[in-house]
Amino acid sequence: MEAILLVILLGPLVASAIVLLGQNQLSRKVVHSLAIAAVFVSFCLSIYVLYLSIWGGLGVHEEIVYTWGVGGPFTFSIGFLIDRLSALMMCIVTFVSFAVHVYTIGYMDDDSGYKRFFGYIALFTFSMLLLVMANNFMQLFMGWEMVGLVSYLLIGFWYQRDSATFASLKAFVVNRVGDFGFIVGIAGVLFFAGTLNYLDVFAQAPAIANQGLWVTAHQYVSAPTLISILLFVGAMGKSAQIPLHTWLPGSMEGPTPISALIHAATMVTAGIFMVARCSPLFSLSPTAMSFVLIVGATGAFFMGLIGIVQTDIKQVVAYSTISQLGYMTAALGAGAFAGGIFHLMTHATFKALLFLGAGSVIIAMHHEQDMRKMGGLARYMPITYITFLIGGLALSAFPGFAGFFSKDAIIDAVGMSATPGATYAYWCVLLGALVTTIYTFRMIFLTFHGKPRMDEHTKSHLKESPWVVTFPLILLAIPSAVLGGIAVKWLAFGDFFGSSIVNRAGDAPLSLMSEEFHGAWQMFVHGFSTWPFFLFVIGFVLCWVFYIWKPHWPAILQSKLRPAWFALDHKLFWDDLEVGVVMEGSRRLGSALWRWVDDGLIDAVAVNGTARAIGLGSRVIRHIQSGYLYHYAFVMVIGLAVMVGWLIWR
Amino acid sequence: MPYLSLVIWVPVLGGIVVLAADRLRVRWLDIRWLALGFSILTFALSIPLYTSFDVTTPTMQFVEKVPWIAAYDVNYYLGVDGISMPLIILTSFMTVIVIIACWKIIQYKLAQYLAAFLIMAGLMNGTFASLNAVLFYLFWEAMLIPMFLIIGIWGGPRRIYAALKFFLYTFLGSVLMLVVFIWLYLKTGSFDILGFYNLHLGLVPQMLIFFGLFAAFAVKVPMVPVHTWLPDAHVEAPTGGSVILAAILLKMGAYGFLRFNLPIAPDASMKLEWFMIALSLIAIIYIGLVAMMQKDMKKLVAYSSIAHMGFVTLGFFVIFMIWQNTGSLGAATLTVEGSLVQMISHGLISGGLFLCVGVLYDRMHTHEMAQFGGVVKPMPKYGYFFLAFMMANSGLPLTSGFVGEFMVILGSFQANFWVSVLTAVALITACSYSLYLIKQVVFGKVKSDRVAALKDISPREVLILALVFLPVLLIGFYPQIILRVMHPTVTHLLSQVVPAALGGGAG
């Protein structure tokens, strides 16, 4: 078993190392064959591991590979924890990664960084696997940071663009803000549990619940609350939750394949995975759960709203991703951990599909991403159109498609949740369904329907993308359509994850709902008579009216609702706040400290001041030693006079 | 074999031979190869210190003791434990690197340059290996001379100011250290450092001792507010000087705290823990902010060094708080070991960073960031290395930069929640300034024709950068390789220091 796991993990690393070190020697063909072969092997073996863990009686399999370090009484190891949760994640990661690898051959064909790109995405696959296969918090953090590194490298892939280098810097720093909380959370785990090993920590969770510490003189915080919230701060960074979400739209500066792989399907879901993995801890703290729920639900609604006004096709999908991550987070907060993972899985397929579809459009449009200059593409790109439509239907949760099963489960679960704040959250995720439909079909109508708005030159070159691009689209379209219906029975309502996901808060909403669940078909039929579906219809009709029937209406509406549009167009001012206040503020602070304290107070006054004072003093003393006899005599006389005077009058 | 004597005197002899060969104008012999040979020999001689090291005992190993000035009990007394041994290997290793690094760069007074570094290496090794206070003091002060010359002769335009500042700062501190040593001699009748440990002094003398030593060590680390000599020294020093300064000299101060302050003045250390922790946190946060604002690459790396050394001093002085909070020495051991790993790691990473800055300086004769931009375009290999070192500098896992920070943050949580929160701020500041530099210098549009015409790094430069980066990766993947030698020493040290501080009726 260990050999299999090592091959899964290290295969992509070795491929990446060979590709990056041998860029100049290897041909393009060797490079992409090597990278694709490695990730394909990882994928097949991951499927095998999943098979073993479902039918092969693998159970919860832990393995220590080596002892990383021993600090004091604490032993830190590198190892694997393979259960259904991690096996499922491994399959998702390697599957999407494989599709994206193939797609890259077509997408990056005319890019001079072709080989470097393959090296990076193979490295990413390694890092992400390191994260999901970990058996302890330290290794989780290692993978966590490594995916951040690769994300940084890939966002800034076109390093000559200032916007790309700025976006990559911002992504890394914002993620680091999250990691700052995350590492303190890990420190908390070590403090309360005495170990970082998952199984040992979770076994002790009930005992930890009785502990806590005084954060301030008056504020006592229980250990699960403290740890969970700190860990979740890490998840907020990586999974782009409010207010640490601003890096994700910026990350669209990177090539589209990595937007699909990293910034939609896998890396950004690491936070969701982490919370589900730590469910035994999170579920002990109603405060933390409530925090998670409210943050998630708020993002699900408001970030979707921003998506409605975007004109760049990738930006729409990016805001959609933040919104969908909000759904997953809300599911976690509601106690429906399995529902969150279920949506993670379906989202991975349909969102990767949408990004890759958008990429296919972008190639056809000669790297034009503005939807206002598209339109009517369905005729020219049938495969892209149909697969994109499937992705769109899955995203907007049309009954039967993958997203429907996972998202409806989440909406219901939030509605039934006992977590404080659930009512607010319910309205957010419910209305979010309307918002999702609007931005999705606005995007589809603007891009694929209506009159073509591009210039003649572009129009004359429009054609369907090559098979290396369309094949991954089809590959991803299949699960986007059917995966939800197949998996809902086990993932959402069955006991698929067993002891891996534990809700200690008592009756979880999903288990309550499972009593009313009578199979995927029933859920599908019932889906046509629920609020989310009515909202879908409303949203669809609105889009049809505004973008097909009366295409001049959006401009009129925009002028009528200027303040609202202005707020949404400025992304609800969060970016401005972050760049203008936080970044600029810390720059000013640093600058002031440097100029006033380091250069001013310490160096100019204390150090050089002392030197100057000594210099000045010696100059004065030097005047006394003039060498003239009468000066000395004069001083002696004065001295004598003073001494005599003192003797007389003392 | 007397390995310790060899790693001290072989490089010193090497320095003399190099000078002699130059004076005698030996035509057939390239003095660079001669110097390289001596430095490699020194490094080779330091290897057995690791391989033959007994990891089961905290006592001094490879001990050499010869009477020297018997009247005052001054002995030529050498020995290493798990704290000093890795530092000696680091010193010997970095000396090889700086000698290769100057290969085609230094033209002016080459022999003197090489000799300065070789002699410096011997003196630094001597400082780490000394177990006699007089010997320690001699090595400690002698070290200043080659460094002073390196900055003063081969430095930049303001080299005289920087060299004087460096010398005065460090010298003033050391004089107080000498006073402390003499006082301790009068108390114990010996200059034996290990003998000082058995003195159980009252709080007042301990305080005086603490501050006397603090003056010497805090300047070297450097701790805020006595740090301003470092950016100046770095900016003016030649590349090799910066590398040795950052990689080894800064470690002297931290080493001193661990070798002298904690064991000799445990009560004072505990009384002053708030002071040391506060200064360390200021170094981490305040200096981190200041580093972000630098426009000169060397200054940025210098400030970054100060912030990273803040982790080291924090890890050393947070131990009492951990003991009081948890009632065990476990996490205290974790932080001290983390600090020690941080010392080694910072030596490698900051050395690597100064080498990277030096590569650009050799080509453009400036380290001002504004002159650069888009360097990766003409210099792709170099771009990778610079980025890799900067990532290590910001504490990326699987590099050595992560190990120490991780252990110190985790350990300090066990002392106090807020201490660990403030420490962890470094995660944000470190990546901000590191990646800011990368963004300005390595990425972006090619700034000028001069940048566009830059040549990528030569095989020699690839070699030195790779040589420094390999151990960074090795420690990142497997820190146990150095943790294992430190463990017995640190455990023993803490079991002496902390109970002494708590039990000692000095109150």
Side-chain angles (χ1 to χ4, degrees), chain A residues 338-354:
Chain A
I341 294 292
F342 182 34
H343 195 52
L344 184 166
M345 180 177 83
T346 58
H347 176 260
T349 58
F350 66 70
K351 190 51 67 63
L353 171 61
L354 286 173

Side-chain angles (χ1 to χ4, degrees), chain A residues 66 70 159 176 215 598 603, chain B residues 165 228 286 303 418 444 477 480:
Chain A
Y66 71 93
V70 181
Y159 52 78
R176 269 294 173 97
V215 171
D598 248 48
D603 247 26
Chain B
K165 200 169 174 183
T228 55
Y286 158 79
Y303 276 110
W418 289 107
F477 272 89
Q480 184 62 9

Side-chain angles (χ1 to χ4, degrees), chain A residues 394-616:
Chain A
L395 169 61
S396 49
F398 188 79
F401 288 88
F404 160 73
F405 293 99
S406 52
K407 200 191 272 180
D408 265 26
I410 289 176
I411 294 174
D412 283 354
V414 172
M416 295 178 75
S417 167
T419 310
T423 315
Y424 162 77
Y426 179 68
W427 282 103
C428 281
V429 292
L430 186 64
L431 291 176
L434 175 66
V435 172
T436 310
T437 312
I438 293 177
Y439 67 66
T440 308
F441 281 93
R442 172 178 174 266
M443 173 171 65
I444 291 175
F445 289 154
L446 277 175
T447 311
F448 292 101
H449 293 263
K451 269 199 229 108
R453 293 179 295 274
M454 68 289 287
D455 58 58
E456 283 305 314
H457 173 77
T458 315
K459 196 175 169 184
S460 60
H461 285 87
L462 281 177
K463 61 169 193 295
E464 183 59 279
S465 302
W467 74 269
V468 282
V469 171
T470 52
F471 169 68
L473 294 180
I474 297 167
L475 198 64
L476 286 163
I478 298 166
S480 300
V482 301
L483 187 62
I486 297 171
V488 63
K489 194 169 84 186
W490 298 318
L491 280 181
F493 300 117
D495 190 26
F496 180 80
F497 293 111
S499 63
S500 305
I501 289 182
V502 182
N503 191 335
R504 292 185 199 264
D507 272 342
L510 286 178
S511 55
L512 293 175
M513 285 156 64
S514 68
E515 289 162 17
E516 293 171 24
F517 176 77
H518 306 292
W521 177 253
Q522 285 282 327
M523 188 172 170
F524 167 63
V525 174
H526 179 69
F528 287 101
S529 56
T530 57
W531 266 109
F533 180 70
F534 302 149
L535 292 172
F536 171 84
V537 174
I538 294 170
F540 182 83
V541 171
L542 277 176
C543 281
W544 185 80
V545 169
F546 273 79
Y547 293 97
I548 304 281
W549 190 40
K550 301 277 185 196
H552 59 284
W553 278 17
I556 298 172
L557 190 70
Q558 187 182 315
S559 65
K560 299 268 182 224
L561 294 175
R562 189 159 290 284
W565 181 82
F566 183 79
L568 289 179
D569 195 46
H570 282 75
K571 298 153 190 177
L572 301 172
F573 310 112
W574 261 116
D575 279 42
D576 303 336
L577 190 75
E578 261 181 35
V579 175
V581 179
V582 181
M583 276 177 68
E584 193 55 34
S586 51
R587 282 178 65 86
R588 293 247 169 100
L589 180 65
S591 174
L593 288 175
W594 177 41
R595 292 202 189 291
W596 295 103
V597 183
D598 248 48
D599 268 12
L601 192 67
I602 299 176
D603 247 26
V605 179
V607 178
N608 294 347
T610 311
R612 226 171 282 135
I614 292 172
L616 205 69

Side-chain angles (χ1 to χ4, degrees), chain A residues 40 80 118 177 186 189 210 214 325 341 353 414 437 574 611 648:
Chain A
F40 186 68
F80 301 129
F118 271 101
V177 175
I186 293 175
V189 170
N210 301 324
W214 293 93
L325 288 166
I341 294 292
L353 171 61
V414 172
T437 312
W574 261 116
I648 293 170

Side-chain angles (χ1 to χ4, degrees), chain B residues 140-426:
Chain B
W140 177 278
E141 294 291 37
M143 223 163 47
L144 287 180
I145 300 165
M147 200 43 158
F148 177 75
L149 295 176
I150 288 166
I151 298 175
I153 296 175
W154 292 276
R158 290 175 72 223
R159 57 181 180 267
I160 302 299
Y161 171 76
L164 272 177
K165 200 169 174 183
F166 163 77
F167 191 87
L168 286 178
Y169 253 97
T170 43
F171 188 74
L172 276 176
S174 332
V175 168
L176 289 173
M177 180 172 80
L178 182 64
V179 175
V180 169
F181 286 162
I182 292 171
W183 192 85
L184 286 168
Y185 166 73
L186 295 175
K187 271 278 177 201
T188 62
S190 160
F191 279 110
D192 181 3
I193 293 172
L194 299 179
F196 296 162
Y197 293 4
N198 301 324
L199 271 177
H200 296 291
L201 299 162
L203 186 60
V204 176
Q206 279 198 26
M207 284 283 191
L208 293 173
I209 290 172
F210 189 94
F211 278 112
L213 296 171
F214 175 83
F217 301 143
V219 166
K220 269 276 184 357
V221 168
M223 297 179 80
V224 180
V226 286
H227 63 280
T228 55
W229 64 271
L230 186 73
D232 284 322
H234 270 310
V235 169
E236 301 307 324
T239 301
S242 284
V243 170
I244 291 298
L245 191 58
I248 318 294
L249 281 194
L250 303 194
K251 309 299 167 301
M252 296 281 172
Y255 172 76
F257 279 123
L258 205 55
R259 179 66 79 219
F260 294 96
N261 284 51
L262 282 171
I264 299 174
D267 302 288
S269 300
M270 195 170 92
K271 275 270 184 280
L272 294 168
E273 60 173 1
W274 62 271
F275 174 69
M276 299 300 285
I277 291 172
L279 289 186
S280 307
L281 288 175
I282 290 173
I284 292 172
I285 297 169
Y286 158 79
I287 295 294
L289 282 170
V290 172
M292 266 186 243
M293 296 316 305
Q294 300 308 313
K295 294 176 175 61
D296 182 300
M297 284 191 270
K298 272 193 149 177
K299 269 202 169 162
L300 190 148
V301 180
Y303 276 110
S304 153
S305 290
I306 304 169
H308 280 89
M309 291 306 287
F311 270 93
V312 177
T313 46
L314 180 83
F316 287 166
F317 286 92
V318 83
I319 56 176
F320 304 101
M321 234 193 228
I322 292 175
W323 167 275
Q324 282 160 332
N325 199 29
T326 64
S328 96
L329 283 174
T333 319
L334 178 72
T335 56
V336 173
E337 287 173 358
S339 295
L340 288 170
V341 175
Q342 175 81 346
M343 282 164 69
I344 304 292
S345 156
H346 176 260
L348 295 164
I349 294 171
S350 64
L353 286 173
F354 280 118
L355 288 171
C356 284
V357 176
V359 164
L360 284 185
Y361 184 79
D362 295 338
R363 285 163 173 71
M364 302 254 299
H365 298 285
T366 173
H367 1 83
E368 203 188 325
M369 275 192 241
Q371 300 291 324
F372 297 96
V375 166
V376 70
K377 185 82 182 159
M379 306 175 73
K381 276 185 235 161
Y382 171 77
Y384 272 116
F385 273 113
F386 207 177
L387 180 65
F389 277 114
M390 270 301 177
M391 277 292 173
N393 193 43
S394 65
L396 190 80
L398 303 183
T399 67
S400 62
F402 167 71
V403 184
E405 291 184 15
F406 180 73
M407 291 169 76
V408 172
I409 292 172
L410 260 61
S412 59
F413 190 103
Q414 316 234 349
N416 182 299
F417 171 67
W418 289 107
V419 172
S420 87
V421 169
L422 293 173
T423 315
V425 170

Side-chain angles (χ1 to χ4, degrees), chain A residues 91 217 244 594:
Chain A
C91 290
L244 299 181
W594 177 41

